[in-house]
Amino acid sequence: MQILAQVAFILALAIGIGIFIRNIRRMIRNINLGREIDRTDNSSKRWKKMVKIALGQYKMVRRPVSGIIHVIVYLGFIIINIEVLEIIIDGIFGTHRVFSVAGAPYSFLIGAFEILAFLVLVGVIIFWIRRNVLNIYRFKARELTEWPKNDANYILYFEMVLMSLFLIMNAADYQLQLNLAPHYAMASGEIAGAFPVSSFLLPLLDGFSDSTLIIIERTAWWLHILGILFFLNYLYYSKHLHILLAFPNVYFSKLKPKAEFDNIDAVTKEVQLMMDPNADPFAAPAEAEGAEEEGEPEKFGASDVFDLNRVQLLNAYTCTECGRCTDQCPANNTGKLLSPRKIMMDTRDRLEAVGENINKNGKFVDDGKQLLDDHITREELWACTTCQMCIEACPVGIDPLSIIVEMRRYLMMEQSAGPADLNNAMGNIENNGAPWPYNQMDRLNWATEN
Amino acid sequence: MAENIKVPTMAEFMAEGKQPEVLFWVGCSGSFDDRAKKITKAFVRLLNKAKVDFAVLGTEESCTGDPAKRAGNEFLYQMQAAGNIEVLNGYEIKKIVTTCPHCFNIIKNEYPGLGGNYEVMHHTTFLKSLLEEGRLTVEGGKFKGKRITFHDPCYLGRGNGIYEAPRDLLRKLEVELVEMKRCKKDAMCCGAGGAQMFKEPEPGKEDVNVARTEQAIDVKPEVIAAGCPFCNTMMTDGVKAKNREDNIAVMDIAEMIATAEDL
Ligand code: SF4
Ligand code: SF4
């Protein structure tokens, strides 16, 4: 019986971790579909930023209520999962509370876990109320369709159940120890662990026989570990991937001033060629032909996920769908369709569709769809004021603006599909050196007019 | 112009074989927009008063390419940048000051990658340094004790981390500085950036400039101080839309200092 349980445990562990590794590999493969980008400079600055923003949750606490509860839930969840290490060792070797040999420190730890579990439970309940009962702008947007809404709630239910299981397991264990049940009670007769919270549950277990208590304890123990393995694999399909990705995402985020956009090198080369009076007029077409022979000529901007860079795709997987960006986006605030959160969610949805396509066909087979128009509309893209508020607001270092700009570049340079009035302004800049139809020769008139 | 302001050009400096202390980059708005021209002139008066040896490019200046770049027309932007950099490098310009945060950002951050390396300052930072060097003095004058709120331009504040220089100048004017709920890092855009200035807004409930102006009106200011010609236009329109133009003025900080000093 015992050996059977051990085999079942090892099997569950192997399957759970196996699927997790497969998912992570798929995710990395999908991210690598994007263009290369070098963000390995300034590593000490990047580490510091990661510690401050990802680990320290510096931006989360700028909104004190949700920020502080998030820190509690996060720390609680992580620390309590140290317990999982013990569960795994016990599961494989058929031991019980193997770390309890440590004595007092062990009791302290278990006691601390219980208090944390209780705080997490309270925090998660407050989160549920905020999300479902209170009227909060960022939880009501149109991109929060059924799945994202459910995803957010599922995870809360899930944590409630996990924390409850942990406490029930401890309560049953405590009662068994008090009953001096074999395998549970310490040889020394001392109590292993401390149960500041679960001891309040003892009245619920009143009158149960040892065998019933063992069933309760074992069931809670098994559900707890199976739940964690399930959670590990749920991550990939959920906004909770940020638990892992917040770290690399912040590390690779932009360090330059937010208002600084990158220059496209390929454009620089073309402009140099055009401006160079010594350039051989016949050299340019020859070179262009050469480029075509080697493959596609460089595409400017992005119409699909393949044209985005890898950091942008990592951003999409990291987005927690918290809506802090959208909450402060001036376009969204004034009723425009644009929502930076939706930009990130759309990018991830499209990338996932492409990934599924590759899983099925071995390689990407054109599905007649793309990120532009099928997910993100032009109306959304043109509503952006490039104010960078979304970048500033994001607690995990995501840059929705860079995707918007990349897609505008495609519309402008590959499709000449800007709004008509904007095209006028572009024409003016080209012809008169100003976005308005004034003559460049009149540029200094202000100095002499009254 | 009737008043006596001196606006020397780089070409004139060149002819005399001289190099100015700083180049004043006027920008399209500052050159052509009627409201923004007033800011340009106020700033020039301050430069003259502080005896700053400056020059402008005049007809040799061209659009920096900012609206093109933010709209996604990288090609047009880089053409503009290449032309401007050629002129600036031709004159061996080292230091540039501008009254427009968009010109400031693009020349400071994006031109270096294309071969244009200069020390670039926004006029508020520049004016602050003039005060610190004792070349310019500012006293409260007309604005002493008035309730003033400052609207952070995205490309100056959040975009480049400059929040204090404009506020320090306002403090020098001895105003009662009141902050909007969304200020500094969290300041809401006026709605002009990203080439929005040159197009109709997308359909929505409200215009961005009106929403932002409402936030300013909430703190009951007598003057909404601005540091960007586009913000200035947007907030001025917002104040008009709210029918408050009789008791709320929208002014650039340079204009406020020039007015306070009766320049
Ligand atoms: S940069 Fe664009 S998307 Fe981001 S907050 Fe500003 S307007 Fe919204
Ligand atoms: S981009 Fe950042 S701020 Fe916006 S929803 Fe995603 S995680 Fe939240």
Side-chain angles (χ1 to χ4, degrees):
Chain A
M1 185 61 198
Q2 175 63 38
I3 193 80
L4 221 64
Q6 280 170 257
V7 171
F9 182 86
I10 293 170
L11 218 63
L13 201 63
I15 292 172
I17 293 176
I19 300 176
F20 175 70
I21 291 174
R22 188 203 65 179
N23 284 345
I24 293 297
R25 291 174 69 143
R26 279 192 179 161
M27 184 188 79
I28 293 171
R29 178 201 68 194
N30 293 352
I31 289 173
N32 282 336
L33 294 173
R35 290 183 182 172
E36 270 179 59
I37 172 170
D38 186 14
R39 286 268 174 89
T40 51
D41 59 321
N42 278 310
S43 63
S44 74
K45 248 195 191 155
R46 292 184 181 282
W47 278 106
K48 273 189 208 132
K49 190 172 175 189
M50 187 176 96
V51 168
K52 181 171 161 188
I53 291 178
L55 193 66
Q57 301 192 11
Y58 173 74
K59 293 217 175 176
M60 283 301 293
V61 291
R62 271 169 60 181
R63 298 214 176 173
V65 178
S66 55
I68 290 167
I69 302 175
H70 186 269
V71 171
I72 292 173
V73 171
Y74 168 75
L75 283 181
F77 193 75
I78 297 286
I79 296 173
I80 293 165
N81 277 321
I82 296 175
E83 166 87 359
V84 173
L85 194 65
E86 186 182 44
I87 293 187
I88 289 175
I89 295 175
D90 283 346
I92 294 174
F93 298 103
T95 46
H96 184 70
R97 292 194 182 262
V98 65
F99 293 156
S100 62
V101 291
Y106 180 78
S107 296
F108 173 79
L109 221 56
I110 294 292
F113 290 169
E114 285 216 340
I115 291 169
L116 277 172
F118 180 70
L119 289 176
V120 170
L121 204 57
V122 173
V124 169
I125 290 169
I126 297 175
F127 273 159
W128 187 88
I129 294 171
R130 280 173 59 83
R131 202 167 266 279
N132 297 285
V133 183
L134 303 184
N135 194 14
I136 295 175
Y137 181 73
R138 61 191 165 106
F139 298 143
K140 295 183 311 187
R142 74 185 171 108
E143 64 267 22
L144 290 190
T145 47
E146 208 165 334
W147 166 249
K149 251 205 175 94
N150 289 340
D151 177 26
N153 277 329
Y154 289 160
I155 224 88
L156 295 178
Y157 300 140
F158 196 78
E159 288 206 46
M160 289 181 206
V161 170
L162 270 192
M163 293 304 123
S164 306
L165 285 173
F166 175 72
L167 292 172
I168 292 170
M169 176 182 91
N170 277 356
D173 194 296
Y174 185 34
Q175 186 64 54
L176 283 163
Q177 291 194 49
L178 292 174
N179 296 355
L180 299 174
H183 197 66
Y184 285 88
M186 299 268 284
S188 60
E190 279 171 36
I191 296 290
F195 305 94
V197 178
S198 62
S199 51
F200 287 101
L201 299 176
L202 288 188
L204 295 176
L205 304 175
D206 215 20
F208 287 160
S209 68
D210 278 6
S211 50
T212 313
L213 286 173
I214 291 176
I215 290 173
I216 293 174
E217 192 273 338
R218 282 292 89 189
T219 311
W221 186 90
W222 271 98
L223 287 178
H224 186 81
I225 184 68
L226 289 178
I228 283 176
L229 289 174
F230 175 79
F231 182 77
L232 202 60
N233 286 299
Y234 180 73
L235 282 184
Y236 178 71
Y237 305 96
S238 151
K239 72 194 190 98
H240 279 72
L241 211 40
H242 78 268
I243 295 176
L244 304 172
L245 297 187
F247 296 90
N249 196 71
V250 171
Y251 185 88
F252 291 118
S253 63
K254 172 166 153 182
L255 294 180
K256 292 182 186 150
K258 292 188 185 64
E260 177 179 342
F261 296 7
D262 61 323
N263 293 321
I264 304 182
D265 292 338
V267 171
T268 313
K269 287 196 198 90
E270 274 193 44
V271 170
Q272 272 166 356
L273 216 59
M274 283 177 67
M275 307 267 295
D276 184 1
N278 303 320
D280 177 355
F282 300 105
E287 214 168 274
E289 270 167 36
E292 260 162 53
E293 272 167 22
E294 279 167 30
E296 301 265 309
E298 173 129 19
K299 174 176 172 183
F300 297 128
S303 60
D304 208 349
V305 287
F306 307 100
D307 312 320
L308 294 173
N309 69 46
R310 292 175 187 176
V311 170
Q312 289 167 325
L313 299 184
L314 173 64
N315 279 183
Y317 275 121
T318 309
C319 177
T320 76
E321 298 168 19
C322 70
R324 286 168 185 236
C325 51
T326 297
D327 188 48
Q328 285 185 278
C329 168
N332 192 276
N333 290 162
T334 52
K336 275 80 175 174
L337 278 187
L338 173 63
S339 159
R341 166 171 58 189
K342 180 175 173 292
I343 299 287
M344 301 319 300
M345 291 169 70
D346 285 344
T347 305
R348 179 168 175 179
D349 286 349
R350 173 61 186 157
L351 185 56
E352 266 308 290
V354 168
E356 275 306 305
N357 184 316
I358 296 175
N359 294 345
K360 222 171 71 204
N361 304 311
K363 64 174 178 31
F364 180 68
V365 177
D366 190 8
D367 57 356
K369 291 205 176 92
Q370 57 174 2
L371 183 59
L372 178 69
D373 297 331
D374 294 310
H375 293 265
I376 299 174
T377 61
R378 295 162 196 231
E379 184 177 333
E380 291 164 74
L381 296 172
W382 290 120
C384 174
T385 72
T386 70
C387 73
Q388 317 131 43
M389 191 62 232
C390 45
I391 314 174
E392 178 64 45
C394 183
V396 289
I398 290 171
D399 183 350
L401 171 58
S402 71
I403 296 181
I404 295 171
V405 170
E406 216 47 60
M407 295 184 77
R408 283 184 174 187
R409 283 172 169 172
Y410 174 80
L411 287 174
M412 279 303 227
M413 292 193 284
E414 296 285 343
Q415 306 252 295
S416 308
D421 32 13
L422 205 48
N423 286 341
N424 278 339
M426 297 301 128
N428 288 330
I429 294 175
E430 211 173 326
N431 300 321
N432 324 321
W436 298 286
Y438 296 110
N439 194 319
Q440 181 151 9
M441 285 303 126
D442 295 337
R443 251 193 127 92
L444 199 52
N445 289 4
W446 60 268
T448 45
E449 67 194 20
N450 210 350
Chain B
M1 98 187 287
E3 342 155 39
N4 195 14
I5 64 168
K6 252 189 14 234
V7 189
T9 63
M10 267 317 294
E12 289 160 19
F13 266 88
M14 185 77 157
E16 291 174 39
K18 288 194 310 182
Q19 195 54 289
E21 176 187 341
V22 64
L23 176 87
F24 172 27
W25 184 275
V26 184
C28 298
S29 193
S31 305
F32 293 121
D33 180 86
D34 284 336
R35 177 68 189 83
K37 280 192 256 183
K38 293 188 186 150
I39 304 171
T40 309
K41 288 183 207 167
F43 183 57
V44 166
R45 272 181 231 124
L46 292 175
L47 291 175
N48 283 338
K49 174 155 191 256
K51 302 202 169 53
V52 176
D53 198 20
F54 76 99
V56 299
L57 285 176
T59 55
E60 291 184 274
E61 190 185 286
S62 187
C63 175
T64 57
D66 173 79
K69 182 158 185 105
R70 311 302 148 196
N73 195 337
E74 180 79 5
F75 199 81
L76 178 54
Y77 145 67
Q78 290 210 14
M79 291 290 289
Q80 288 298 117
N84 285 326
I85 290 169
E86 200 172 285
V87 173
L88 290 168
N89 288 355
Y91 282 128
E92 293 175 26
I93 300 294
K94 302 269 170 328
K95 190 168 169 182
I96 299 175
V97 63
T98 174
T99 47
C100 174
H102 295 266
C103 298
F104 164 74
N105 173 68
I106 202 167
I107 302 176
K108 174 173 177 284
N109 294 324
E110 293 164 4
Y111 277 20
L114 305 174
N117 294 287
Y118 322 98
E119 184 195 342
V120 191
M121 288 174 112
H122 184 248
H123 69 308
T124 54
T125 318
F126 188 75
L127 288 172
K128 195 186 157 195
S129 71
L130 291 181
L131 288 176
E132 278 164 2
E133 289 160 19
R135 296 168 70 182
L136 191 68
T137 49
V138 176
E139 260 144 51
K142 294 194 176 80
F143 297 99
K144 191 169 177 171
K146 287 209 167 159
R147 253 177 108 82
I148 314 275
T149 190
F150 177 66
H151 163 75
D152 289 275
C154 302
Y155 277 75
L156 186 70
R158 195 159 41 246
N160 282 290
I162 299 177
Y163 304 105
E164 287 312 316
R167 287 179 170 79
D168 286 344
L169 292 175
L170 289 172
R171 279 184 208 109
K172 283 274 189 308
L173 285 172
E174 298 169 77
V175 307
E176 184 198 343
L177 183 60
V178 282
E179 294 291 356
M180 287 181 247
K181 199 164 157 222
R182 283 168 73 170
C183 65
K184 301 186 184 172
K185 277 191 184 116
D186 298 319
M188 186 186 185
C189 178
C190 71
Q196 295 294 340
M197 187 74 191
F198 308 102
K199 61 183 268 298
E200 283 304 311
E202 276 55 39
K205 293 195 304 267
E206 196 181 11
D207 284 333
V208 176
N209 64 323
V210 176
R212 180 56 171 166
T213 307
E214 282 166 358
Q215 296 171 8
I217 292 176
D218 281 347
V219 298
K220 303 190 171 54
E222 288 166 81
V223 179
I224 299 173
C228 168
F230 296 107
C231 297
N232 198 310
T233 303
M234 286 306 214
M235 301 301 280
T236 304
D237 289 349
V239 169
K240 275 188 203 141
K242 292 265 130 194
N243 290 320
R244 296 295 298 272
E245 65 265 43
D246 292 338
N247 46 23
I248 301 178
V250 179
M251 293 182 88
D252 191 272
I253 292 183
E255 291 178 296
M256 292 177 68
I257 299 177
T259 312
E261 296 288 295
D262 269 328
L263 288 178

